[in-house]
Amino acid sequence: MAKCINCLKELELFRGLEKEEFANVCLAASKQIIEKGSYLFTQGEPADTLFLVKGGKLKLVQLTEGGREIIVDILGQGEVLGETVLFQREEHLYSAKAIETTKVCSFSMAQFETVIKSNPALAVKMISHLGQKLYEFIRLAGEITGTSARERLLHVLHHLADEHGRPVEKGILIELDLTQQELADMIGVSRVKVAQIIGGLKESGVIQRKGKSYFLASDPCLLRNFPEGQ
């Protein structure tokens, strides 16, 4: 029980609540290990569980009607997915695929409803949490709408740096093993186009490849020196 409580206490939603309030939830909480390349869940499956990423990383991938894959987001340690299932019974709108071995803690909507009934204040906290995530999504979408491919790629890299970056000398190391095709899927262009943009950014010193990670320079002058035509 103690380990289960510690797992759920890492959720921002549950911080500040007493241990006794987790009794019913902890009876059903479970842990999973998702191997690299495997799916936590797939698009179209019934959504009835909330997940906390305990370690590793997941990419959220949506398949369009035309058969094209779009990477919606990448989640790492401490992040939550599936919160909306606590308010409505729907199918998953995307698949969650491990890009490295990932540990996940989860509990069902039924168990969460039990906690809500005993602590209505938690519902208010959940709504606030979802509102903040929606705001961040709209803000990011607004920033990249109507921009060039180069600007969209830079926005995505800065977003990934905020979420998964580690400060190093003169910049940030984005500790994700991302292919050029995955970056292309995130901004809606071809892999060839991304390769061209990355090539130009490397020549200008804006980014560098450090092993499997990208280094993003913190000097804003480098961005001004990079030609807009790419």
Side-chain angles (χ1 to χ4, degrees):
M1 179 72 74
K3 290 183 179 179
C4 170
I5 290 175
N6 289 334
C7 173
L8 297 179
K9 288 288 280 186
E10 291 182 23
L11 283 168
E12 177 66 29
L13 303 171
F14 294 138
R15 288 178 186 170
L17 299 181
E18 297 299 324
K19 287 185 178 181
E20 289 75 12
E21 294 174 300
F22 296 102
N24 291 328
V25 177
C26 287
L27 292 175
S30 61
K31 294 181 181 180
Q32 298 172 255
I33 295 179
I34 314 300
E35 298 297 337
K36 180 178 178 179
S38 298
Y39 288 87
L40 174 62
F41 56 78
T42 58
Q43 184 174 333
E45 288 183 354
D48 60 1
T49 305
L50 184 146
F51 302 95
L52 165 67
V53 181
K54 294 280 291 176
K57 293 180 177 65
L58 296 166
K59 67 176 179 180
L60 308 184
V61 181
Q62 188 174 62
L63 187 65
T64 68
E65 291 184 359
R68 182 167 169 268
E69 284 193 351
I70 298 175
I71 297 179
V72 179
D73 202 356
I74 294 177
L75 303 183
Q77 182 176 356
E79 295 191 82
V80 183
L81 67 159
E83 304 100 312
T84 55
V85 307
L86 303 173
F87 298 98
Q88 56 185 7
R89 300 175 187 271
E90 300 286 350
E91 297 178 344
H92 285 296
L93 299 178
Y94 46 74
S95 302
K97 185 177 182 179
I99 56 179
E100 60 186 59
T101 300
T102 302
K103 297 179 181 179
V104 174
C105 188
S106 62
F107 65 98
S108 70
M109 181 166 61
Q111 291 298 316
F112 183 81
E113 289 173 346
T114 299
V115 176
I116 287 291
K117 289 176 182 178
S118 63
N119 194 324
L122 184 58
V124 176
K125 194 171 183 180
M126 172 68 83
I127 292 170
S128 175
H129 174 76
L130 288 174
Q132 181 62 33
K133 289 190 70 173
L134 178 60
Y135 170 80
E136 290 298 327
F137 175 79
I138 293 174
R139 180 187 63 80
L140 182 62
E143 287 178 351
I144 66 176
T145 299
T147 60
S148 68
R150 174 235 178 191
E151 290 172 321
R152 295 201 301 276
L153 180 59
L154 285 172
H155 273 299
V156 165
L157 289 173
H158 279 287
H159 172 68
L160 294 175
D162 288 340
E163 296 293 326
H164 308 285
R166 175 170 58 86
V168 295
E169 185 179 0
K170 297 183 179 180
I172 297 177
L173 192 65
I174 304 173
E175 298 184 306
L176 291 172
D177 182 9
L178 289 173
T179 66
Q180 291 182 353
Q181 183 60 60
E182 287 173 323
L183 289 173
D185 291 340
M186 296 182 81
I187 65 172
V189 299
S190 69
R191 187 199 63 77
V192 173
K193 183 64 175 178
V194 165
Q196 292 174 345
I197 297 172
I198 288 177
L201 291 172
K202 285 181 177 179
E203 289 180 7
S204 298
V206 176
I207 63 173
Q208 297 177 35
R209 191 71 163 164
K210 300 286 188 179
K212 295 182 178 181
S213 303
Y214 280 100
F215 167 81
L216 182 62
S218 56
D219 185 356
C221 294
L222 294 173
L223 298 181
R224 291 198 293 270
N225 293 332
F226 184 70
E228 290 289 338
Q230 298 239 21

